[in-house]
Amino acid sequence: AMALCLKQVFNKDKTFRPRKKFEPGTQRFELYKKAQASLKSGLDLKAVVQLPPGESINDWIAVHVVDFFNRINLIYGTMSEYCTERSCPIMSGGLKYEYRWQDDSKYKKPTKLSAPQYMCMLMDWIEMLINNEDVFPTRIGVPFPKQFQQVCTKILTRLFRVFVHVYIHHFDSIINMGAEAHVNTCYKHFYYFIREFSLIDHRELEPLKEMTERICH
């Protein structure tokens, strides 16, 4: 059901195609293949996220940030028709959490946006960063910028908010599509990764704390 669902999204809405691919033959592509292979082998997700011996931490983080972006973008894409200006006029995670949008160009101050608007701004903003060679260098020998991990923390923190919104406001849609196992696996992989490298402030994780304790042992 999930494969069919994803297929329909690909056909229906071009904006939810994966937005960044690793070039075959590059070091990053090899690392990506290694990460995917260990994921498919059914290894414990806690083991899968650990840095392979001899690999650079920034390369490992870069590969995962891009992969999580593509996968979370797709998850949101599969249920975006249920997330509308009308159903979700505020980007929130239940009654306690509201997320405002801020960037360096259009929204200099934290601004209230509807969930679909927020998601659109978020995906465009991440896409711009991961395609920027000064932030995510792809050529061998080009060093990562000093603030690389800080940038990744910001990207991952905002991607976590997509999970918050989807789980709290659209869980029924996930179940109806038969996508619960897929979304849970993606969430667990994401959660173990950010915990392994302490990439998100624990306060940001609060909205899904109970669910996380239940599914991430």
Side-chain angles (χ1 to χ4, degrees), residues 2-186:
M2 188 62 192
L4 183 69
C5 204
L6 290 178
K7 210 168 176 179
Q8 285 167 344
V9 169
F10 277 139
N11 296 340
K12 183 180 74 182
D13 187 347
K14 288 189 174 62
T15 58
F16 287 104
R17 287 174 184 278
R19 299 180 173 198
K20 169 101 176 179
K21 292 196 171 77
F22 299 102
E23 292 303 316
T26 61
Q27 191 185 356
R28 203 73 55 77
F29 180 72
E30 295 309 314
L31 203 53
Y32 174 68
K33 278 203 314 197
K34 193 186 279 189
Q36 291 299 305
S38 56
L39 201 55
K40 287 195 179 88
S41 68
L43 283 174
D44 171 18
L45 286 170
K46 278 185 192 162
V48 164
V49 297
Q50 289 166 9
L51 181 67
E55 296 294 354
S56 122
I57 175 114
N58 281 345
D59 272 321
W60 189 238
I61 290 174
V63 160
H64 282 79
V65 167
V66 172
D67 189 39
F68 287 134
F69 165 62
N70 282 334
R71 287 201 276 154
I72 293 166
N73 189 27
L74 274 180
I75 286 171
Y76 181 70
T78 57
M79 29 99 11
S80 58
E81 64 191 279
Y82 305 104
C83 182
T84 63
E85 302 283 326
R86 199 167 164 192
S87 71
C88 306
I90 294 167
M91 174 58 184
S92 58
L95 297 172
K96 268 173 82 177
Y97 302 94
E98 181 186 315
Y99 300 120
R100 298 183 178 191
W101 181 256
Q102 185 175 19
D103 54 38
D104 295 329
S105 50
K106 195 175 172 189
Y107 297 97
K108 302 255 165 101
K109 289 183 180 156
T111 306
K112 273 190 186 195
L113 294 179
S114 68
Q117 281 177 307
Y118 186 101
M119 299 295 185
C120 195
M121 299 300 296
L122 174 60
M123 300 309 175
D124 286 349
W125 173 77
I126 298 175
E127 185 177 21
M128 180 191 72
L129 284 172
I130 62 181
N131 286 312
N132 182 342
E133 282 287 327
D134 293 335
V135 184
F136 276 73
T138 54
R139 294 186 302 282
I140 287 179
V142 176
F144 284 91
K146 281 194 176 69
Q147 291 83 21
F148 179 69
Q149 288 191 23
Q150 284 166 275
V151 172
C152 289
T153 284
K154 200 163 183 183
I155 291 173
L156 293 166
T157 299
R158 287 178 168 183
L159 280 174
F160 184 81
R161 295 170 180 180
V162 179
F163 279 122
V164 172
H165 184 75
V166 165
Y167 270 120
I168 292 176
H169 295 277
H170 301 292
F171 197 61
D172 290 353
S173 303
I174 295 172
I175 290 171
N176 292 340
M177 288 177 176
E180 185 183 357
H182 174 84
V183 176
N184 283 351
T185 301
C186 187

Side-chain angles (χ1 to χ4, degrees), residues 163-216:
F163 279 122
V164 172
H165 184 75
V166 165
Y167 270 120
I168 292 176
H169 295 277
H170 301 292
F171 197 61
D172 290 353
S173 303
I174 295 172
I175 290 171
N176 292 340
M177 288 177 176
E180 185 183 357
H182 174 84
V183 176
N184 283 351
T185 301
C186 187
Y187 176 75
K188 281 155 83 166
H189 188 197
F190 182 93
Y191 177 77
Y192 290 137
F193 185 80
I194 55 119
R195 281 296 300 271
E196 176 74 14
F197 301 105
S198 305
L199 289 165
I200 297 185
D201 187 303
H202 66 93
R203 286 169 302 191
E204 282 281 345
L205 306 175
E206 202 61 35
L208 295 180
K209 189 166 178 256
E210 281 176 31
M211 185 201 77
T212 305
E213 283 169 359
R214 207 168 58 246
I215 70 170
C216 300

